Amino acid sequence: MYNETTMRTETTTVPAALPMPQIPVTTSVTCCFILAVIYVGSLYVWSTKHSRDHPSTIKRRFASVSFVMLFAPFFVYCFSSPELLEREHFPKLLGFRWLGLWQAIVIPYLLTALLFLGPIFVNMQTESIRIYFDWNYWSGSFSSVVWLRNHVMAPLSEEFVFRACMMPLILQSFTPLTSVFITPLFFGVAHMHHIAERLSLGVELSTAVLIGFFQFVYTTLFGFYSAYLFARTGHIVAPFLVHAFCNHMGLPDVQELWQLQFWRRIVAIGLYIIGFAAWVFLLPVVTDPRIYANTLYWNV
């Protein structure tokens, strides 16, 4: 029988969603700006004559961003509301917790794969998907510092600094939805440094700026998605895995698409549309915070 004792039991087993303590907007925005500058600056503290893809450059940058990752959480700890720090475990603020972990690993990854339904079909037609079943491919990948940068270190460091350390601060000054649209701006601007790198390689100014602007738009749009995943799931593993997957897939290869036979091309285009439409429809559904036991950053 449903009685008062049952009500008390349910109340104690399901954590109540409490309002997020607030800090001044100037504090949160300034901290995020400084973190973005420190992250980008760490890539250029080394004096080198080599390109960004040279192994020595990559290894030095690994060391730099690792230091930034160790340093960044202090901003969250020092400038967060004392009330929030007393109420919640600090690792939880950064997106490290057990509740809802497997959901955060599996669901956002499959959702993002749905977004790439068309490109995945194209890869299957060109037989490039077979490389994933080749041991030499994986052994070669894990021994390549470029591959490790693109699929491990870059997603891990960027998501940790720009999501795990910036979002907790911004969320203490803005609503979750507003925060999702603010932090990606820091993420997008942080990628503008690639303009200087292209200029150093002899690329024309107009071309470098155009590519840089396109990269800013792309990274900002991805930042919206990544920040949304962090706020909705309360887990850093969700945006990290999605970031690594998106880096691997890259932008759709239109030239490869048009090389397919006519009927396969039609199917591929249909899957592009279906995948995107399904992703838009399912995004708010499968990221429901209740699935991930997230009562901290997105109260429902």
Side-chain angles (χ1 to χ4, degrees):
M1 183 175 180
Y2 194 84
N3 51 32
E4 185 177 349
T5 303
T6 305
M7 292 178 62
R8 285 199 299 267
T9 302
E10 290 184 358
T11 303
T12 57
T13 55
V14 179
L18 299 175
M20 178 69 69
Q22 297 293 292
I23 60 175
V25 171
T26 53
T27 299
S28 60
V29 172
T30 302
C31 286
C32 291
F33 176 77
I34 294 174
L35 280 173
V37 171
I38 292 175
Y39 184 91
V40 175
S42 72
L43 303 177
Y44 295 95
V45 295
W46 306 100
S47 177
T48 178
K49 61 182 179 180
H50 301 297
S51 69
R52 65 185 298 267
D53 291 329
H54 193 277
S56 65
T57 303
I58 295 174
K59 291 175 182 178
R60 289 178 176 183
R61 289 184 171 184
F62 278 8
S64 297
V65 297
S66 295
F67 175 78
V68 175
M69 290 174 65
L70 292 174
F71 181 70
F74 286 98
F75 279 79
V76 184
Y77 187 81
C78 294
F79 296 99
S80 288
S81 166
E83 178 187 347
L84 181 63
L85 294 174
E86 291 177 2
R87 195 178 78 192
E88 305 289 352
H89 294 295
F90 187 67
K92 182 180 178 181
L93 300 182
L94 304 181
F96 296 98
R97 58 192 183 89
W98 291 111
L99 280 176
L101 178 61
W102 76 264
Q103 294 95 322
I105 293 174
V106 175
I107 298 176
Y109 195 86
L110 293 179
L111 177 67
T112 308
L114 186 63
L115 179 62
F116 285 90
L117 194 60
I120 291 174
F121 174 79
V122 173
N123 288 343
M124 293 175 65
Q125 304 309 305
T126 59
E127 300 184 353
S128 60
I129 199 169
R130 290 185 178 182
I131 63 173
Y132 301 126
F133 301 97
D134 185 353
W135 169 252
N136 292 327
Y137 166 77
W138 292 108
S139 61
S141 296
F142 281 102
S143 62
S144 167
V145 290
V146 175
W147 189 93
L148 290 173
R149 177 196 63 190
N150 295 340
H151 297 85
V152 181
M153 200 60 187
L156 178 61
S157 61
E158 290 178 0
E159 293 308 317
F160 183 77
V161 174
F162 288 88
R163 243 63 69 182
C165 295
M166 287 191 186
M167 284 291 286
L169 292 167
I170 291 294
L171 283 161
Q172 293 178 67
S173 298
F174 300 93
T175 65
L177 192 58
T178 303
S179 300
V180 165
F181 284 95
I182 291 177
T183 53
L185 298 177
F186 295 102
F187 184 64
V189 171
H191 283 76
M192 296 296 285
H193 67 93
H194 292 302
I195 294 178
E197 291 183 341
R198 291 187 178 91
L199 290 174
S200 66
L201 295 174
V203 178
E204 292 184 0
L205 177 61
S206 58
T207 303
V209 171
L210 181 62
I211 296 175
F213 175 75
F214 178 78
Q215 189 166 21
F216 167 76
V217 173
Y218 177 76
T219 53
T220 301
L221 289 175
F222 173 79
F224 293 149
Y225 180 42
S226 184
Y228 184 82
L229 289 177
F230 180 82
R232 295 278 284 183
T233 67
H235 283 277
I236 186 58
V237 68
F240 163 63
L241 291 177
V242 166
H243 191 151
F245 178 74
C246 289
N247 277 6
H248 173 71
M249 294 299 298
L251 293 175
D253 190 340
V254 179
Q255 184 177 359
E256 195 173 55
L257 170 65
W258 287 102
Q259 289 177 348
L260 295 177
Q261 294 179 352
F262 177 75
W263 71 269
R264 293 185 179 183
R265 191 188 315 155
I266 297 300
V267 173
I269 293 174
L271 290 176
Y272 268 87
I273 298 172
I274 292 172
F276 178 76
W279 176 80
V280 171
F281 175 77
L282 291 174
L283 178 60
V285 177
V286 300
T287 60
D288 188 324
R290 288 170 291 195
I291 298 175
Y292 310 90
N294 176 27
T295 58
L296 175 60
Y297 288 139
W298 200 296
N299 297 335
V300 291

